Amino acid sequence: MAWKSADVVVIGGGIIGTAIAYFLSRQKIDVILLEKDGIASGSSGACDGAVVMQTKKPGVHLKLAMESHALLSRMQDHLQMPIEFEQNGGLIVIETDEEKTAMKQFVKAQRQAGLDVELLDHKQLHALAPHLSDHLISATYSPQDSTINPIALTLGFAMGAKQMGAEIITGSTVSNIEVEGRQISAVETAAGKIETRTVVNATGVYASEIGRMLGIEIPIKPRRGQLLVTEARPDLLKPWLGSANYIAAKFNPQLAKEGAGGVSIDQTQNGNFLIGATREFVGYDKRTTTEGLKQIASRAVQILPVLKNMHLIRAFAGLRPYTPDGLPILGKVEKIKGFIMAAGHEGDGIALSAITGKLISELVSEGKTDVALDSFNLNRFSNDTT
Amino acid sequence: MGIEAYDVVIIGAGPSGIGAATVLAEYSLKILLIDENNQIGGQIWRKPAYQPVSRFRGHQPPTRQPMDLSTGIGTDKNNLHITTPSCVLGVFPDKHLLLSTSDQGVREIKARSIIFATGAREKVLPFKGWTLPGVMTLGAAQILLKQYGVLASSEILISGAGPLAYLLSSQIIGAGGKVTTVLDRSSLATMLNAVWVMAGQLPKIGEGLLALGRLIKKRVSVKHRMQVVEVKGKDKLQEVIAVRIASDGTAVDGSQQRYETQMLACGNGFVPNIELPQLTGCDLIYAVDKGGWIVKTDRSMETSVSGVFAAGEITGIAGSDKSLIEGRLAALSILNQFGKLNSKKYRIRRAALLNKRKHCQRFGAFLNRQWAIHPREWAGIDDAAIICRCEDITMGTIRGWIKKGIRSAPDLKRATRCGMGICQGRTCAPLIYEILAACSVAGKQEPHPLSVRTPVKPIPLGDLARL
């Protein structure tokens, strides 16, 4: 005897799972969301709120990010929770001539992809952000870059979904997924069985565990990011800021090793500075380390010296769902009918949340999507894994 | 700077930390005793920062306080290092600690064993307007008096329950100040009951009688079962409104009293400072009769993390006698683990201390019962009363989210920012645990503590960058 039934079961109550539940409910699709702990209790509650276009690879990655940005910029009209979306622009600060050369190339490709981005000289940069260190020779700037409160957005999606009829069950761990033939038939939890023909795996860093229940290998690994939060202060830095080696750390690990370490700095609406981040493979260990704190703190005060006398009020770490090529895994899984992947966004989960939710709901309701998801399909890794 | 290594690091130099240090210092071990105050001794053995020169006579420490312990320690023991005012910012794997010092910036240290003796902080039952200047805790008023010889105000209204309310009143009178009224949350019967609980602890009864004697002599009015529900004033405190609380936790109709005053000292018991042990990964237990979230230990005072010990108020609020005993117990266990004390001697000394501890624990249970807040009292708190002082989150906001289905403290924190501010929930978290328990009608969940993050106390980013 089944406990419940639903058209779709979304597993994972983080930013991706709640966004999917939200967009599915908007299409009047009957959905149950299962979360093993609380909404936003994992990576989505331990990250920054960058909705930054400049850090995306030109191509389909950037295209998705821009569509997601457009959705997020209008999302407040639909959600009750104040989500603190702010389009204050974003800076990628440059410290060396080598970085400048590399960033010039990057900007060129981004402009071709339709992003409004330009290279600022020393004077323009310091006029825009007067508290920055004088040693920063240049920066790229995009007025499209924005920030949002990730926890509020996750809760907003969850509450919005609930209002439109979705059922959200927290404290509920999935123990098994039942398959009849090659078709999904039910999800098992401690409380009982939920009959469904469609399951969305939105479990982020735990996606491979869900995959194993179906004998599917999913190459997502947890990558730890430590972040620092300072006391709140009146406005000192308007745009979101990343260092050029932040970009390097994201796309070119070798280049990152040679640089001084990537850093991102954002002053939130509340006035606190959110400073990140390390990128470390240490399994599911969410502790902070002295090395991590030292590294982030010293880079941050180099770039924004006013931080020196500001108090650090807490440091925390979140696990980012890393994939080998830095792109999320989205769409149907060939081997099992009714099994849909939506995980592996690493540090882009917040920025890509809305478009992921929209695309997956399209995929469920219409069987296809506006944007082709081929380059995000799990099967792109099949050569690596066999 | 390199990492300094110690055999034992003791965090907190109140009765339990000093108790541990005095036992350990007799052996050839490298010990570090850390306290965030300028002087060791904790709140109970707090000493004047300088000779009082004010017109007040100053605070006279009661004779039974083992002041010699806190003053004599470390003078002739070169293996015991004391660092004050210093604050442990975080505990990292393999017993690595980050220490913020006043003279040497941030230091990294390493320990073979750690004793957490981090004590307790005050808890206040919030009311509308309690963030107004002119409202302070009982402990704050006591620090002013004990350490600086300063009266908070020439006239003061005291509100609270338990020994501290009376002790402070007596100390204020002793220093030449005036206590206008004592509003005691507990009943007269509870107070009389205390005599039975403290039977066999004559010094405590003596202290209590001394305090009461002073109050009677000065004709201080003592009102029982009264709770402050609102304070008013323009920019600072002018008026205190209190009501009588019936045994079912509701306010008695027509019992409202108004008091004009410029200073209110209030407090309602203590909460264990469990943040550092929690950060270390030590198992916690929620025990209302011990003060809320406490650190779980075995009979040797070892926590669930091997080589990490907890002593004093953090294992259950019960006062300084228990703390001293547990500090010694922890020290003996470490000596035994290090092979400095043979098992037979260890067992004999431990048994004697454990036996003494039983009496203290009984006293502790009595205290915590006296401070217990009836679930209906939470229902009586005004919507406008601020619960999280860092982020200005009101009782009304919290009620709203509970109505929307929030059941756990971490969920409430994410939804409201309650506990996300600069104090990391040290003030509001203990209140939230009780509010959730009292206001959630159905679907009650296992209590869940708020997470603790490094640094447990704020430090300038520059200090960390220089490390």
Side-chain angles (χ1 to χ4, degrees):
Chain A
M1 182 64 196
W3 174 42
K4 288 171 185 292
S5 72
D7 291 341
V8 184
V9 170
V10 177
I11 310 172
I15 187 68
I16 300 299
T18 56
I20 293 168
Y22 173 81
F23 280 96
L24 282 170
S25 322
R26 230 159 84 159
Q27 302 227 41
K28 310 258 185 297
I29 292 169
D30 170 33
V31 56
I32 291 177
L33 184 144
L34 298 174
E35 161 56 43
K36 67 173 177 162
D37 190 350
I39 299 298
S41 59
S43 304
S44 309
C47 61
D48 65 18
V51 184
V52 174
M53 302 299 105
Q54 286 193 72
T55 55
K56 308 296 176 276
K57 261 184 199 166
V60 68
H61 190 207
L62 179 58
K63 188 171 186 274
L64 283 193
M66 286 167 71
E67 287 197 24
S68 200
H69 179 272
L71 287 169
L72 287 173
S73 68
R74 298 188 301 268
M75 199 49 75
Q76 188 66 79
D77 301 342
H78 305 279
L79 302 179
Q80 279 183 0
M81 187 86 188
I83 56 174
E84 300 172 26
F85 179 87
E86 289 184 301
Q87 190 167 337
N88 286 332
L91 287 168
I92 307 289
V93 293
I94 295 166
E95 293 170 286
T96 64
D97 289 330
E98 293 79 56
E99 284 177 2
K100 196 170 177 178
T101 314
M103 285 308 292
K104 256 185 194 160
Q105 290 296 317
F106 205 59
V107 165
K108 202 173 153 192
Q110 283 176 323
R111 288 180 71 95
Q112 276 164 5
L115 183 69
D116 181 0
V117 58
E118 60 180 317
L119 196 67
L120 303 182
D121 63 22
H122 184 268
K123 203 177 152 192
Q124 288 170 313
L125 168 65
H126 293 275
L128 189 71
H131 295 284
L132 290 183
S133 165
D134 197 55
H135 86 276
L136 303 169
I137 57 172
S138 164
T140 65
Y141 176 74
S142 169
Q144 278 169 276
D145 288 339
S146 308
T147 53
I148 203 161
N149 179 332
I151 298 175
L153 181 62
T154 310
L155 288 170
F157 278 140
M159 287 160 59
K162 205 172 156 183
Q163 260 175 4
M164 292 182 292
E167 185 173 0
I168 293 179
I169 306 172
T170 55
S172 174
T173 306
V174 171
S175 54
N176 194 25
I177 299 172
E178 283 183 16
V179 178
E180 279 172 17
R182 283 178 56 229
Q183 166 66 50
I184 280 180
S185 61
V187 172
E188 277 174 35
T189 72
K193 194 188 275 189
I194 304 171
E195 284 176 348
T196 187
R197 291 177 68 79
T198 306
V199 166
V200 182
N201 180 7
T203 55
V205 293
Y206 305 102
S208 61
E209 282 179 33
I210 299 292
R212 266 196 294 278
M213 293 175 187
L214 295 165
I216 292 168
E217 194 171 332
I218 299 168
I220 292 177
K221 281 202 295 184
R223 195 182 199 186
R224 182 169 69 187
Q226 302 185 39
L227 287 135
L228 311 185
V229 184
T230 71
E231 62 188 309
R233 284 281 177 91
D235 286 354
L236 288 167
L237 179 71
K238 211 168 150 61
W240 177 91
L241 180 151
S243 65
N245 29 40
Y246 175 97
I247 303 281
K250 199 166 161 163
F251 298 114
N252 189 340
Q254 197 50 44
L255 197 70
K257 266 183 206 159
E258 292 156 14
V263 70
S264 73
I265 306 174
D266 178 46
Q267 190 171 18
T268 65
Q269 206 173 74
N270 211 46
N272 308 87
F273 279 89
L274 200 51
I275 309 167
T278 58
R279 290 170 191 270
E280 313 154 81
F281 292 112
V282 285
Y284 289 89
D285 184 348
K286 278 197 272 191
R287 291 176 293 189
T288 53
T289 61
T290 45
E291 294 73 29
L293 303 192
K294 276 189 273 188
Q295 181 202 319
I296 301 168
S298 52
R299 282 293 282 144
V301 300
Q302 266 173 17
I303 287 171
L304 190 63
V306 284
L307 288 172
K308 213 181 291 174
N309 297 317
M310 289 183 60
H311 283 89
L312 169 69
I313 64 168
R314 60 180 176 271
F316 60 87
L319 303 174
R320 317 288 163 234
Y322 160 93
T323 63
D325 61 2
L327 296 176
I329 303 172
L330 306 172
K332 293 178 181 176
V333 178
E334 286 161 7
K335 230 172 99 185
I336 306 277
K337 276 187 187 155
F339 188 52
I340 295 174
M341 279 300 302
H345 295 68
E346 191 165 354
D348 298 329
I350 306 302
L352 297 180
S353 60
I355 192 67
T356 303
K358 187 165 175 276
L359 289 172
I360 298 296
S361 75
E362 278 173 21
L363 188 64
V364 169
S365 60
E366 292 153 38
K368 59 182 173 54
T369 52
D370 268 1
V371 185
L373 290 180
D374 301 341
S375 50
F376 298 102
N377 200 284
L378 177 66
N379 63 17
R380 72 184 189 271
F381 298 110
S382 54
N383 292 335
D384 305 341
T385 51
T386 51
Chain B
M1 204 186 288
I3 300 174
E4 295 161 73
Y6 292 91
D7 291 311
V8 186
V9 170
I10 305 167
I11 304 162
S16 49
I18 287 171
T22 42
V23 172
L24 291 167
E26 299 298 323
Y27 295 80
S28 56
L29 290 169
K30 196 178 169 198
I31 306 154
L32 181 67
L33 179 62
I34 302 164
D35 200 280
E36 59 182 352
N37 287 285
N38 283 306
Q39 296 172 322
I40 60 168
Q43 176 77 348
I44 194 99
W45 296 334
R46 195 176 286 278
K47 294 166 294 182
Y50 49 84
Q51 278 310 105
V53 289
S54 70
R55 62 197 165 91
F56 309 117
R57 273 184 289 149
H59 166 64
Q60 310 273 318
T63 46
R64 66 176 284 267
Q65 290 182 359
M67 293 289 284
D68 53 321
L69 257 182
S70 59
T71 47
I73 191 173
T75 47
D76 57 342
K77 305 270 191 279
N78 54 16
N79 59 339
L80 174 63
H81 305 257
I82 300 178
T83 175
T84 63
S86 289
C87 177
V88 175
L89 304 171
V91 184
F92 299 90
D94 304 323
K95 303 189 186 74
H96 276 242
L97 298 109
L98 263 192
L99 183 68
S100 162
T101 65
S102 58
D103 48 350
Q104 294 174 307
V106 178
R107 286 160 61 188
E108 220 176 324
I109 54 174
K110 197 170 95 176
R112 271 173 80 195
S113 274
I114 297 175
I115 301 177
F116 287 115
T118 44
R121 58 182 180 268
E122 267 185 296
K123 181 171 150 191
V124 174
L125 178 59
F127 44 83
K128 192 177 169 185
W130 69 305
T131 53
L132 263 184
V135 181
M136 63 168 66
T137 63
L138 299 171
Q142 200 187 31
I143 290 173
L144 279 175
L145 194 58
K146 273 185 166 183
Q147 192 162 347
Y148 305 104
V150 171
L151 286 168
S153 171
S154 54
E155 287 189 6
I156 189 163
L157 182 77
I158 305 274
S159 158
L164 184 57
Y166 290 94
L167 187 62
L168 174 66
S169 303
S170 159
Q171 287 165 344
I172 287 170
I173 294 167
K178 188 180 173 193
V179 175
T180 52
T181 307
V182 175
L183 302 175
D184 188 344
R185 279 176 42 80
S186 55
S187 67
L188 188 63
T190 319
M191 211 164 98
L192 294 173
N193 204 6
V195 178
W196 294 109
V197 178
M198 290 188 282
Q201 289 181 292
L202 276 174
K204 273 212 176 81
I205 297 178
E207 246 176 61
L209 289 177
L210 178 77
L212 279 179
R214 272 183 172 163
L215 262 68
I216 293 165
K217 199 174 152 201
K218 291 283 174 185
R219 295 170 193 278
V220 175
S221 136
V222 177
K223 302 265 177 72
H224 286 279
R225 300 212 59 93
M226 293 293 279
Q227 168 62 34
V228 176
V229 288
E230 185 179 355
V231 299
K232 287 180 172 173
K234 193 178 178 294
D235 305 325
K236 60 177 188 187
L237 178 66
Q238 286 165 331
E239 190 183 25
V240 172
I241 302 167
V243 296
R244 198 176 154 81
I245 302 289
S247 55
D248 67 353
T250 57
V252 176
D253 284 342
S255 64
Q256 202 182 71
Q257 294 283 332
R258 288 164 183 270
Y259 304 90
E260 262 183 43
T261 184
Q262 291 187 338
M263 187 59 64
L264 167 69
C266 55
N268 187 55
F270 300 91
V271 188
N273 291 327
I274 46 127
E275 287 71 18
L276 283 172
Q278 189 186 345
L279 196 61
T280 311
C282 302
D283 285 350
L284 306 176
I285 311 167
Y286 192 68
V288 178
D289 62 337
K290 289 181 174 170
W293 284 104
I294 58 166
V295 183
K296 188 178 158 190
T297 61
D298 60 16
R299 279 151 47 92
S300 64
M301 305 316 298
E302 193 165 12
T303 68
S304 61
V305 179
S306 161
V308 175
F309 295 77
E313 302 286 51
I314 56 173
T315 70
I317 302 290
S320 60
D321 292 348
K322 172 178 154 291
S323 298
L324 191 56
I325 290 167
E326 289 190 348
R328 288 175 178 154
L329 268 172
L332 292 175
S333 304
I334 288 173
L335 289 173
N336 180 241
Q337 281 189 358
F338 285 0
K340 301 259 177 196
L341 186 68
N342 73 46
S343 289
K344 195 180 163 198
K345 275 187 188 160
Y346 168 58
R347 277 202 302 273
I348 293 168
R349 289 177 72 178
R350 185 175 79 171
L353 286 169
L354 283 172
N355 199 32
K356 278 192 200 165
R357 185 172 75 144
K358 262 191 233 154
H359 296 283
C360 306
Q361 283 172 324
R362 224 171 50 163
F363 176 62
F366 163 75
L367 283 178
N368 290 300
R369 266 201 307 280
Q370 203 175 348
W371 290 318
I373 299 164
H374 196 286
R376 284 210 192 87
E377 279 187 78
W378 291 107
I381 291 179
D382 196 288
D383 270 350
I386 287 173
I387 302 296
C388 170
R389 298 176 67 127
C390 296
E391 299 289 325
D392 283 344
I393 310 300
T394 62
M395 186 71 189
T397 303
I398 291 171
R399 278 202 180 103
W401 280 96
I402 292 174
K403 271 194 198 120
K404 280 182 200 161
I406 285 218
R407 293 288 173 271
S408 81
D411 280 343
L412 190 68
K413 177 180 174 180
R414 284 188 285 271
T416 63
R417 295 188 66 84
C418 197
M420 237 184 235
I422 202 155
C423 89
Q424 287 200 29
R426 260 188 289 277
T427 304
C428 68
L431 308 178
I432 290 170
Y433 303 140
E434 290 200 31
I435 292 170
L436 282 166
C439 300
S440 307
V441 265
K444 204 177 147 190
Q445 282 187 359
E446 279 287 289
H448 215 77
L450 286 184
S451 53
V452 176
R453 313 286 199 190
T454 304
V456 294
K457 298 271 169 83
I459 50 149
L461 217 53
D463 288 4
L464 200 57
R466 269 195 298 275
L467 188 67

